[in-house]
Amino acid sequence: MSKSTQREDHLKALYALAHGHASTWVSTSQMAVHLGVKPPSVTAMVQVLSELGWAEHRPYHGARLTATGRKLALSLVRKHRLWETFLVQRLGFGWEEVHDIAEQLEHVDSLELVERLDAYLGHPKSDPHGDPIPKADGTFHPEGEICVLADLDPVVRCKVKGVRDGSDDTLSAMSARGISLGSTLLPEDITTFPVTWLDQLLVCKAQE
Amino acid sequence: MSKSTQREDHLKALYALAHGHASTWVSTSQMAVHLGVKPPSVTAMVQVLSELGWAEHRPYHGARLTATGRKLALSLVRKHRLWETFLVQRLGFGWEEVHDIAEQLEHVDSLELVERLDAYLGHPKSDPHGDPIPKADGTFHPEGEICVLADLDPVVRCKVKGVRDGSDDTLSAMSARGISLGSTLLPEDITTFPVTWLDQLLVCKAQE
DNA sequence: TTGGATTTTTAGTCACGTCTAAAAATGCAC
DNA sequence: GTGCATTTTTAGACGTGACTAAAAATCCAA
């Protein structure tokens, strides 16, 4: 398990630069810039994350989150945004002042604390910046974020919001199966999709 | 300045074992037991605290707080007790559950945060355990703590609450000068006391 | 006051997370 | 495809803060 502020910070950087996608590769130098450290330090830490099962490291290529790592990153984002909400809503901070403080508060380790804070704040759906707050189970509220289909976990009914890097033949292949902007995807259909589509379809959860 | 959780924890241990007195010597092994580390580690850290000007180290004798160190320790105690108050009063934790969490929260570095938290909680005078919360300037509320005369900083009018290790002749010498339980000491008198009395007289601030 | 038990410090090692400098892999231009 | 520029990793070092084992200081008892 072995948490530590540094490990958590690197995990968060990976999450942020991959825009929350477990499928996106991020270069160690990108992470280095984001974290304000030198690339070799990131390489070392990414290897640690890899041993912890939080990330996958492909040498000379980059790193990406594992499912476990993404869940963990999400719990950090949750804590960060709940604390920001607290700081602004209850302590009267300006929304631009709270990031650095929340950065520290998010590393406090107590599940009970997070859940009570969440309840105290009335289970807010988004933080003062308007960013959505992940739920305790690592999912977003239904009306929440757009994500890549590959990141939909668990696989549920969802709506198509866009296609990334969609080449013409990919798009026409999708059309051929009745997939277009706004169409609803069912779990049983998703499992029959070509694997490459999973990284290309941008979706959000459909309301129940 | 160079804060760090470890330095702060050692400083707090010193403060706690000296019962908040800048005049009391504490052995490194006492601190080691309190912190759950081995004595050599404490020796090393005490030397660091000494370089930082937070403590004085007399080899083979022990360590004690400097005025600066005591102020810093007080600010940590203040943060700890404010957070405990928050956890119990606002988040509904039981008073016995909050220590470990407050232990983490107290290391969050933001003056603004502490002051806003204090205001949010209505400037509480004591925490859920009944322990007094130091004010931002490092003093206790007037009806607050009993301390050794030597620790009264700045020296102000105060009331005698007791005498530590008072031998018979010390006590009679004090009586001879009109000092007894409950009597009020004036700053201009205090400066004329024998130095040894400063470590023996227990006092609290007199109301204005 | 001297000797032995105890306490404390010093010396040397280790893990973590950073760094710089050098080597290795990648990839783009030609 | 070969070669060079760029990116990334490896190698080796350092600071912090912990440890164990050994040396030094202190304290107490005879």
Side-chain angles (χ1 to χ4, degrees), chain A residues 146-161:
Chain A
I146 291 171
C147 69
V148 161
L149 184 50
D151 291 335
L152 203 64
D153 178 33
V155 176
V156 294
R157 206 152 60 93
C158 58
K159 273 212 172 89
V160 175
K161 289 294 179 182

Side-chain angles (χ1 to χ4, degrees), chain A residues 28-29 43 47 57:
Chain A
T28 49
S29 44
T43 301
Q47 290 168 345
H57 182 215

